[in-house]
Structure formats: C-alpha cells, structure tokens
Amino acid sequence: TPIGATAYASFLGTAMLGLAAWALPAPLSAGIAPPAASPAAWAALAFLGVFGTAVAFVWFYDGVRALGPGRAAVFINLVPVAAVLLGYLLLNESLEWSMLTGGALTVAGVWLINRPGSRRP
C-alpha cells in the first residue's frame, strides 16, 4: 500500500542516516555546540516532514497504483514547478519569466504524456 511503502522507506532512510551520524565524529566532542533551533525552524521541519515527505510519497505511490509506474513517473517532473510556486507564494521569492516558461513547458509535457488517448509508456 502507499502508506506501507512510505513507512518502510522512511524507516530505512532513518536507519541509514542514523548509521552515518553514528560513524561521524560528534560536533560536541570537538567543542562545537549545535545552534538552538527556533520555533519557526521546528515548524518548518515539521511541515517538510509531514507535507513535503510523508503526504507527497503517499500520494505518489497512490498514483503509481492508479496509473502504473511509467505514467506516474512523469509526475516527478512537477517537483521543481511546485517548489518554485511554493517559494513564490510562501517565501515571497521572485518569479521570473524563464521560470514561468519552464513551468508551463513542464506542465504541458506531463499533460501530453498522460492525456486521454496518448500512447502509454
């Protein structure tokens, strides 16, 4: 299931990161104290973990189940488009014509691959 696949991937990724962190020298042993995280940083981390990772992976795996892996894989191309739009909406980042043009071409490509009657990969 999408939730099961996301859970296994998250647990495996956490284990690998834990092993890497265990193998690396600790910052505290070198006399370097980690900076204290602000509430805004914790909120951003929670947002990234819940929406940017868990919900996104569940929806993607659900798309794989509904569309098949070939057609669903094309939607990965929308990740940069979503990142630029969210940066503009949430972080007040600039939006250039080249970004809009690239985003429009990307969306058009995804639509062309997945439109009704198209040859399916």
Side-chain angles (χ1 to χ4, degrees), residues 48-116:
L48 178 63
V50 172
F51 295 105
T53 303
V55 171
F57 274 113
V58 168
W59 284 350
F60 179 73
Y61 288 133
D62 196 38
V64 169
R65 186 176 59 193
L67 299 173
R71 291 181 69 198
V74 175
F75 285 91
I76 291 294
N77 294 303
L78 295 177
V79 170
V81 176
V84 168
L85 288 176
L86 288 173
Y88 174 74
L89 294 172
L90 299 176
L91 303 174
N92 296 322
E93 292 182 356
S94 64
L95 193 59
E96 306 292 329
W97 283 106
S98 60
M99 296 174 184
L100 292 172
T101 303
L105 288 171
T106 302
V107 170
V110 171
W111 178 80
L112 282 171
I113 292 295
N114 287 293
R115 74 184 186 279

